């Protein structure tokens, strides 16, 4: 297995599919298997599904109180450049989104998904808090995206904030604040010596306008 996530009643095992030699246009994928752990003496298999992209860690997955399984993935695909015919490998392109799945007759089916965000970047951390999700991607700056997942069939991106560096862990402090731990990287600076461990607090009481209210460099 790759990563696992458990709610009170279910355990999800996520395994990444690896293309040995991806063809142009093929995308990576994650297989998810669901097990019922509501009884203390057994864990029967329930369902499986396939979601485009790959996850970072167990915090990329979540199940809400209604049984919908949500997963945040970075989708990677290989693209050939017709202007460079000698480059047989091409380039890898990335994009990111959240998918919502439901269990239907032994299958985990995608019933809703957000728009694709931060093309060319990849997810560094995710945190689900009930029907809200927070996602951090990275290439040169650190966008924090907020999502509203109340409607499983129509999860939507609500807000976005860009700050230098990236967060590798997100922790909810209370209903309106997040603590993030990650790496500070000055914008447009490639010197690794300028990097530092950074703790930051974000005010997310207004999902449409998240704000970074405190930082501490170590």
């Amino acid at each position: 297995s790759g990563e696992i996530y458990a709610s009170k009643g279910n355990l999800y095992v996520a395994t990444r599919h690896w293309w040995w030699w991806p063809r142009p246009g093929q995308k990576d994928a994650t297989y998810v298997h669901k097990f019922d752990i509501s009884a203390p003496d057994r864990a029967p298999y329930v369902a499986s599904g396939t979601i485009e992209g790959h996850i970072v860690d167990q915090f990329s997955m979540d199940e809400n109180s209604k049984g919908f399984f949500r997963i945040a993935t970075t989708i990677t695909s290989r693209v050939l450049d017709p202007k460079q015919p000698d480059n047989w490998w091409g380039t890898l392109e990335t994009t990111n989104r959240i998918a919502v799945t439901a269990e239907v007759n032994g299958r985990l089916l995608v019933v809703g998904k957000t728009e694709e965000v931060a093309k060319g970047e990849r997810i560094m951390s995710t945190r689900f808090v009930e029907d809200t999700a927070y996602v951090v991607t990275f290439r040169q700056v650190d966008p924090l995206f907020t999502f509203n997942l109340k409607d499983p069939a129509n999860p939507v991106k609500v807000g976005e904030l860009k700050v230098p560096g990236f967060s590798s862990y997100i922790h909810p402090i209370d209903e309106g604040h997040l603590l993030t731990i990650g790496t500070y990287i000055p914008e447009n600076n490639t010197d690794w010596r300028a990097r530092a461990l950074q703790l930051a607090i974000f005010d997310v009481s207004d999902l449409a306008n998240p704000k970074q209210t405190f930082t501490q460099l170590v």
Side-chain angles (χ1 to χ4, degrees):
S1 67
E3 300 287 349
I4 62 171
Y5 164 80
S7 64
K8 287 185 177 181
N10 297 298
L11 175 76
Y12 295 86
V13 179
T15 303
R16 182 175 178 177
H17 176 87
W18 292 91
W19 291 110
W20 174 252
W21 193 260
R23 295 181 179 179
Q26 283 184 327
K27 301 175 181 179
D28 57 346
T30 296
Y31 303 119
V32 179
H33 309 289
K34 179 181 179 180
F35 298 85
D36 181 352
I37 58 171
S38 58
D41 59 344
R42 64 193 190 99
Y45 165 78
V46 177
S48 293
T50 304
I51 293 90
E52 286 187 340
H54 64 274
I55 64 173
V56 176
D57 52 29
Q58 72 269 30
F59 296 105
S60 302
M61 301 178 285
D62 179 79
E63 181 191 76
N64 70 2
S65 59
K66 297 180 181 179
F68 290 98
F69 176 74
R70 295 86 64 88
I71 182 169
T73 61
T74 294
I75 303 168
T76 304
S77 58
R78 188 165 71 92
V79 178
L80 296 181
D81 186 352
K83 297 180 181 179
Q84 297 180 341
D86 295 333
N87 183 4
W88 51 270
W89 169 249
T91 59
L92 293 178
E93 293 186 351
T94 62
T95 188
N96 311 274
R97 71 176 174 219
I98 295 175
V100 180
T101 73
E103 176 194 331
V104 180
N105 297 325
R107 299 177 65 190
L108 293 176
L109 300 180
V110 175
V111 295
K113 53 189 176 183
T114 67
E115 64 181 280
E116 296 180 2
V117 299
K119 293 185 178 181
E121 303 181 13
R122 59 191 178 95
I123 293 177
M124 303 300 293
S125 57
T126 306
R127 195 69 185 234
F128 293 89
V129 182
E130 297 180 354
D131 284 329
T132 302
Y134 305 97
V135 174
V136 168
T137 62
F138 179 72
R139 182 169 58 186
Q140 290 182 330
V141 294
D142 170 359
L144 170 70
F145 296 96
T146 61
F147 296 87
N148 185 325
L149 309 178
K150 288 183 179 180
D151 182 356
N154 186 35
V156 294
K157 186 190 80 172
V158 180
E160 177 181 349
L161 174 67
K162 293 186 177 182
V163 292
F166 63 89
S167 302
S168 52
Y169 177 72
I170 304 172
H171 191 88
I173 298 176
D174 57 30
E175 187 175 351
H177 295 86
L178 303 173
L179 167 69
T180 66
I181 303 174
T183 302
Y184 170 77
I185 304 175
E187 195 169 354
N188 300 321
N189 190 328
T190 58
D191 186 352
W192 65 269
R193 291 170 296 183
R195 299 187 176 195
L197 173 67
Q198 176 175 273
L199 284 73
I201 292 178
F202 291 85
D203 184 340
V204 291
S205 54
D206 180 0
L207 286 180
N209 297 287
K211 299 177 181 179
Q212 188 182 71
T213 58
F214 175 83
T215 59
Q216 173 67 61
L217 298 183
V218 182

